[in-house]
Amino acid sequence: MRSRLAAEAVMAVALGIAVAVGGTARAGNGNPARESLARLEPGIHKIKHVIVITQENRSFDNYFGTFPGAVGIPAGVCLPDPRHGGCEKPWPDHYDSNGNNPHGQAPYLADLNGGKMNGFVAVADKYVCQLTTGPCRPDVMGYHTGTDIPNYWAYAKNFVLQDHMFEASQSWSLPSHLYEMSGWSAICATTGDPMSCRSTDMPNERLPDRQTPFAWTDITWLLHKHHVSWGYYLDHGPVTVSLGNPQGASVHWNPLPGFTDVHQDGQLGSMRPLRVFYRQANAGTLPKVSWVTPDFRDSEHARALVSTGQAFVTRVINAVMRSPDWKSCAIFLTWDDWGGFYDNVKPPVVDGQGYGFRVPAMVISPYAKHGYIDHQVLTSDAYLKFIEDDFMNGARLSPITDGRPDPRPAVRENAAILGNLFYDFNFNQPPRPPMTLKPCPATTLIPPPKPGCVDGIVLHTWTWGNS
């Protein structure tokens, strides 16, 4: 673990030094981060399949705060606890099911507390404990150890762990997923009119009488325009806007049906059940770009079990590693927002809507560096940039060039502070063999997971808190 001062020093180094990649020295976070590397580093085209797996609601410190070499939980930290008096220190939380803590825009600002990063306990006390007069101690300061989540730590030790991956927005799941797919979160005054949209971290949801509230342009518009195949895969299918198929992937985590451009270019058929992804992986017919979205039980969104989510992710990664496509794949694994859990690193400020708190993130690929910790400043915007550089010659979600103007305040992929995932790879090395893992390994989680890490916990709508 490192102190915050050390964290700032690491960030300064990451921003300032030259990094040798593929025999060429380039600034780790300088001008190459803002331009297409496809022209500069042809090795990127060894990646022919990008798979983005997005889990739910964990801060970096909640999962990797004690990971050796990462910018983790500072020694001696103790956050004010106005309900109980004094302060609360971080503590190892081995419970498989965690509490659902406040993680909307207002809780974000209160957790941040003007940049002091010390509001997490007070916010949880206020929102979680307000309806009880009995004992109430939210678990926002709890963190999981490597023995709780051994597969995630094994991926981090053997591939690339990113310890400065920030949520792209400063809010909850829906805006985070909108950023992941479009580089923006907005609210639109007129259905289908991109120019009527304005920035917000609390966008309208899809509802039965408002099924296409997202009029601006998303990444699939560019993919279709450039004839790049893609698929959005939903664990047990989608929950519908009328809440049909409640065992499927949440409406909040499945924003694409709400984008008018997906309807305009006839791409709704690219959203498919996850079983199709497994079939394509087995056959070696994965599309160029895939997004994998869990259902509630597999998501790690509290109160769903950590063990069940880890098993789900491991099965998806195993399927890719066993695929004939493995030697040309890059898996980007991340979590959509911080879930109310403590994190110690103050986020950078970008265009008034970002960034949010750190989330766990990894790169898993036969060309990924081994045991590498990436200290670049990153968000899901970096996923868009990598996809654009690899498959579309650096085309951007830009109102000036994408053929579908909208009034987004900035082209997020071109933010000066945003790093580049290219530097997590070594395209000169031979493709690494797969590293398949047991989906349900032995852990120190309490209670011990059931065989197969099957989740039997009761999940009602009230367990999802202010999500």
Side-chain angles (χ1 to χ4, degrees), residues 194-392:
M195 296 307 295
S196 73
C197 305
R198 59 178 176 82
S199 298
T200 181
D201 273 335
M202 294 299 288
N204 286 331
E205 302 177 50
R206 290 197 292 130
L207 298 173
D209 61 350
R210 189 177 63 210
Q211 298 199 26
T212 54
F214 316 134
W216 66 96
T217 307
D218 75 271
I219 188 65
T220 68
W221 172 267
L222 282 183
L223 293 172
H224 179 67
K225 182 178 179 180
H226 288 263
H227 309 290
V228 178
S229 60
W230 65 272
Y232 198 93
Y233 300 93
L234 301 156
D235 189 11
H236 295 108
V239 175
T240 68
V241 290
S242 57
L243 302 185
N245 188 35
Q247 287 75 40
S250 169
V251 173
H252 304 143
W253 312 337
N254 175 32
L256 283 179
F259 280 94
T260 53
D261 60 2
V262 178
H263 296 259
Q264 289 170 355
D265 58 17
Q267 292 294 289
L268 288 170
S270 293
M271 285 162 273
R272 315 181 76 177
L274 184 59
R275 64 177 180 273
V276 177
F277 177 87
Y278 285 124
R279 187 163 64 240
Q280 291 174 329
N282 184 62
T285 57
L286 287 171
K288 296 295 185 184
V289 187
S290 303
W291 291 269
V292 174
T293 299
D295 65 15
F296 290 108
R297 292 195 176 278
D298 290 334
S299 71
E300 294 161 68
H301 186 311
R303 303 177 53 230
L305 300 184
V306 171
S307 61
T308 302
Q310 180 179 242
F312 167 77
V313 170
T314 303
R315 292 186 182 103
V316 173
I317 293 174
N318 283 349
V320 176
M321 289 186 170
R322 290 170 177 148
S323 170
D325 291 328
W326 162 245
K327 290 185 178 181
S328 58
C329 285
I331 301 170
F332 301 149
L333 171 61
T334 192
W335 282 252
D336 70 344
D337 67 54
W338 83 111
F341 293 102
Y342 170 71
D343 194 77
N344 81 91
V345 176
K346 179 183 175 182
V349 177
V350 176
D351 72 19
Q353 284 187 264
Y355 297 142
F357 297 124
R358 290 189 307 168
V359 293
M362 285 167 270
V363 173
I364 301 165
S365 171
Y367 293 103
K369 295 177 180 178
H370 184 274
Y372 180 68
I373 299 178
D374 183 356
H375 302 302
Q376 294 182 98
V377 172
L378 299 166
T379 70
S380 59
D381 304 322
Y383 298 160
L384 297 175
K385 179 161 63 177
F386 189 94
I387 291 166
E388 292 161 352
D389 287 350
D390 191 7
F391 301 117
M392 296 183 284

Side-chain angles (χ1 to χ4, degrees), residues 380-463:
S380 59
D381 304 322
Y383 298 160
L384 297 175
K385 179 161 63 177
F386 189 94
I387 291 166
E388 292 161 352
D389 287 350
D390 191 7
F391 301 117
M392 296 183 284
N393 199 33
R396 294 285 185 256
L397 280 168
S398 168
I400 299 174
T401 60
D402 64 21
R404 197 173 182 275
D406 57 43
R408 64 184 66 209
V411 178
R412 272 291 190 94
E413 304 98 295
N414 290 340
I417 197 172
L418 184 69
N420 200 308
L421 299 178
F422 181 88
Y423 299 110
D424 290 340
F425 297 87
N426 178 1
F427 291 115
N428 288 332
Q429 70 186 20
R432 295 169 55 188
M435 187 188 79
T436 56
L437 301 174
K438 293 181 179 179
C440 193
T443 72
T444 49
L445 291 168
I446 302 171
K450 296 179 180 180
C453 289
V454 176
D455 181 356
I457 194 169
V458 177
L459 297 178
H460 295 298
T461 52
W462 63 266
T463 67

